[in-house]
Amino acid sequence: METIIYMVRHAESPYTEGNERTRGLTLEGKKNAGKITELLKDEGINIIISSPYARAILTVEGLAEALELDIQIFEDLRERHFSDCIITDEEFMPAMKRMFDDPTYALPGGESNTVCQNRSVGVITYILEEYKGKKIVIGTHGNVMTLMMNYFDSTYGWDFLNQTKKPDIYKLFFKDLELKEVKRLWYE
């Protein structure tokens, strides 16, 4: 029995230090969230799940309203915590690359790829078992999405993350807990 998961990376969000959970979408992000609704509304979606962060919820909210579905929130789908320290833009990308080269590496007070992957994969395996045979949208973040996909197929890593967009959509086809195929649905 095939289960389909639509990974929906959140639309563009204004970055404000210290406002991770509550920051919303930019005007462009809101426009693209509407495009996501149009793109997915006829896919036969059964369930909508999201990270607890506002930008992820707002990206799939229009779809939920159009389909008259509630959004289920899973705390463990939240974006990874990078560090307790302020990271400059110059430090961020090299640190991210290092995290993908060494999955156990973490910045001070932050999550490693291994820790973030373990918590988020726990959710996706639950979803695959609980909603077998269904079509499920997951409102998520770039890092979390990449690490979940990487768990099932190691080719999804640093290079994949760097080519994703905000928003982005990947349609994942599963047979039980085995990822069989991935199709990108979002094109600008």
Side-chain angles (χ1 to χ4, degrees):
M1 181 179 296
E2 185 174 69
T3 304
I4 298 174
I5 292 182
Y6 299 82
M7 291 283 189
V8 178
R9 185 181 187 190
H10 68 79
E12 185 180 82
S13 177
Y15 182 72
T16 307
E17 184 67 40
N19 197 18
E20 276 298 291
R21 283 191 175 263
T22 58
R23 62 185 165 106
L25 300 176
T26 63
L27 289 175
E28 183 70 15
K30 291 175 186 177
K31 182 175 124 185
N32 284 331
K35 290 179 183 178
I36 287 169
T37 297
E38 289 304 309
L39 189 62
L40 296 180
K41 72 179 182 183
D42 296 324
E43 287 282 316
I45 305 296
N46 306 106
I47 295 151
I48 300 179
I49 292 169
S50 181
S51 154
Y53 286 20
R55 60 191 181 272
I57 294 168
L58 292 169
T59 301
V60 298
E61 188 174 60
L63 179 63
E65 290 171 4
L67 299 177
E68 297 180 356
L69 295 172
D70 291 330
I71 300 173
Q72 298 179 41
I73 305 298
F74 282 78
E75 180 64 27
D76 281 344
L77 291 177
R78 69 190 176 277
E79 179 61 288
R80 77 179 311 153
H81 180 65
F82 291 101
S83 177
D84 285 341
C85 306
I86 293 176
I87 306 164
T88 67
D89 289 341
E90 295 79 29
E91 296 169 316
F92 185 74
M93 292 307 278
M96 283 293 300
K97 171 86 168 81
R98 183 171 173 194
M99 288 178 207
F100 276 87
D101 291 340
D102 176 4
T104 62
Y105 172 74
L107 291 167
E111 288 182 296
S112 68
N113 274 12
T114 300
V115 169
C116 183
Q117 184 178 60
N118 287 342
R119 73 168 159 81
S120 58
V121 166
V123 175
I124 197 169
T125 54
Y126 167 81
I127 290 167
L128 288 167
E129 291 167 356
E130 185 70 18
Y131 302 116
K132 191 174 189 171
K134 303 287 186 189
K135 293 182 175 183
I136 305 115
V137 164
I138 298 178
T140 190
H141 308 271
N143 265 270
V144 176
M145 177 181 77
T146 300
L147 293 171
M148 285 189 285
M149 292 170 72
N150 173 268
Y151 176 82
F152 295 100
D153 181 343
S154 63
T155 62
Y156 294 97
W158 174 247
D159 291 335
F160 170 76
L161 175 61
N162 281 318
Q163 62 83 40
T164 63
K165 304 294 181 202
K166 292 180 188 174
D168 220 331
I169 305 171
Y170 293 86
K171 185 176 183 179
L172 285 61
F173 299 82
F174 285 89
K175 184 174 188 321
D176 298 317
L177 295 177
E178 184 180 350
L179 179 61
K180 302 302 258 177
E181 182 182 1
V182 176
K183 289 183 182 176
R184 186 176 191 199
L185 300 184
W186 182 261
Y187 293 98
E188 295 177 298

